[in-house]
Amino acid sequence: METAMRSLLSDNSRYVESFRLFLKNSTEHQCMQQFIESRLPGVVSSLGDGKTTINVLGVGSGSGEIDLKIFSKIQARYPGVPIHTDIVEPSPEQILSYKERVAKTPGLQNIHFNWIKKTSSEFELQVKEEKSERKYDFIHMIQMLYYVKDVPATLTFFRSLLAPNGKLLIILVSGNSGWSTLWKKYGSRLPLNDLCLYVTAGDIAEMLRSEGAKHQSYELPSDMDITECFIDGDRNGGLLLDFLTETCEFNKNAPPELREEIIQDLKSSGCSSVKDGKIIFNNNLSAIVVESG
């Protein structure tokens, strides 16, 4: 790994900027919304039965856009039942955006929001130190398991927080996505550090199978327009390349031969396809629903 390269996560403002551009150029949230509309009502159909309050835990919830859609399905199934949600999110910018979103969204009177500015590992440490016995009826970990040091231990911990009939929702990139292709080929040459793991939903499903955890997987087709990545000097293209490689200022800091290899592979059928003259990256996701017990 070249020492000149550093993780995109080492520059929070650039990370947030590149992440927002990624969301703009991809169908990431749309495919999650489709899953929430078509599948989530069935997932949450029994988790609040007989309960006076529904406890929800969001881990790495970002700005809350997906969270609020999840809450709408729980509220539709259990109208009038109070919801208490703990939101574990380390970024103060994202927490602020989440709070602003809540302030502008009607129909949330029955939901009590508790924001916890911590990483998932810091939250885990707090729960264990306090010997907290709080259990959650629904836990969601959306696009965040890349950022933990020990994925199997993290899965075991959060599964232990599920109440009877509780469900854990995990969404990650699919094992058949362009991300998987990139990571398998270049992971050892990119600035992997304690803050980022190249893990796919296929890896998670294998971990759950090895532990005998009952779960079900759903494929979520998604794509991303990366045409700007191939325009020399294009700022948006540079930010998207940063996001794809998890590298801060990849164009500037990557060795020329590595940059050329990745650029060529991003155009290849293992990562992308051409539609209407645009280069479209395979951003497929998978949703995994884990049951308590």
Side-chain angles (χ1 to χ4, degrees):
M1 194 271 289
E2 300 289 332
T3 55
M5 294 193 294
R6 61 191 175 98
S7 169
L8 178 59
L9 291 166
S10 66
D11 185 333
N12 189 61
S13 62
R14 190 170 178 89
Y15 171 79
V16 170
E17 187 179 8
S18 65
F19 176 64
R20 287 174 178 164
L21 183 63
F22 158 70
L23 290 181
K24 179 182 175 183
N25 278 41
S26 75
T27 60
E28 173 105 346
H29 275 185
Q30 292 93 316
C31 81
M32 290 187 199
Q33 289 165 13
Q34 176 61 31
F35 170 79
I36 289 168
E37 289 298 322
S38 63
R39 298 285 190 175
L40 196 67
V43 171
V44 303
S45 63
S46 63
L47 56 80
D49 288 357
K51 296 179 179 173
T52 55
T53 300
I54 296 172
N55 291 312
V56 177
L57 174 63
V59 188
S61 286
S63 62
E65 179 180 349
I66 299 300
D67 287 33
L68 297 191
K69 295 183 183 300
I70 290 172
F71 290 135
S72 72
K73 299 306 174 189
I74 297 175
Q75 286 180 308
R77 174 64 183 85
Y78 298 99
V81 177
I83 297 171
H84 176 98
T85 180
D86 289 332
I87 299 135
V88 178
E89 169 57 51
S91 166
E93 293 91 346
Q94 295 284 58
I95 289 175
L96 179 60
S97 295
Y98 196 139
K99 289 179 177 179
E100 290 172 346
R101 191 182 301 278
V102 167
K104 296 174 185 174
T105 304
L108 304 178
Q109 296 84 354
N110 278 351
I111 305 177
H112 171 74
F113 293 89
N114 175 40
W115 285 276
I116 302 168
K117 185 183 169 296
K118 291 183 183 295
T119 64
S120 68
S121 57
E122 289 168 346
F123 174 73
E124 180 176 345
L125 189 62
Q126 175 186 312
V127 169
K128 289 178 177 177
E129 285 179 345
E130 294 177 353
K131 295 183 171 58
S132 171
E133 295 185 1
R134 179 187 289 277
K135 298 291 184 180
Y136 295 93
D137 304 299
F138 190 72
I139 301 173
H140 55 88
M141 309 169 75
I142 297 175
Q143 292 286 53
M144 61 70 58
L145 279 172
Y146 319 109
Y147 309 116
V148 302
K149 291 182 181 180
D150 187 335
V151 177
T154 299
L155 286 173
T156 298
F157 169 71
F158 284 102
R159 285 178 56 216
S160 77
L161 299 184
L162 287 173
N165 294 324
K167 303 284 179 69
L168 165 62
L169 170 65
I170 298 166
I171 297 181
L172 283 177
V173 297
S174 170
N176 65 18
S177 66
W179 295 101
S180 181
T181 301
L182 276 183
W183 292 346
K184 286 175 182 175
K185 186 168 182 179
Y186 297 106
S188 63
R189 299 169 66 187
L190 293 171
L192 177 68
N193 60 23
D194 284 348
L195 294 173
C196 180
L197 296 173
Y198 299 126
V199 61
T200 70
D203 300 320
I204 300 301
E206 185 57 40
M207 292 175 197
L208 292 168
R209 277 193 292 271
S210 71
E211 297 218 344
K214 189 175 180 182
H215 65 282
Q216 188 166 358
S217 296
Y218 306 87
E219 284 295 299
L220 314 182
S222 175
D223 58 38
M224 170 172 53
D225 184 351
I226 60 170
T227 309
E228 292 165 307
C229 291
F230 309 99
I231 303 172
D232 284 342
D234 188 273
R235 175 171 169 74
N236 283 351
L239 285 166
L240 287 172
L241 272 173
D242 285 8
F243 194 80
L244 285 161
T245 61
E246 289 283 352
T247 303
C248 190
E249 297 193 72
F250 176 79
N251 270 333
K252 175 182 173 183
N253 296 321
E257 64 276 12
L258 176 62
R259 181 184 180 279
E260 184 59 28
E261 284 181 57
I262 287 180
I263 287 290
Q264 290 305 313
D265 269 341
L266 282 171
K267 293 179 181 178
S268 74
S269 59
C271 288
S272 304
S273 58
V274 178
K275 296 177 184 175
D276 300 323
K278 295 183 177 181
I279 299 173
I280 306 298
F281 184 76
N282 177 341
N283 187 57
N284 288 356
L285 307 176
S286 290
I288 301 173
V289 178
V290 188
E291 299 189 18
S292 61

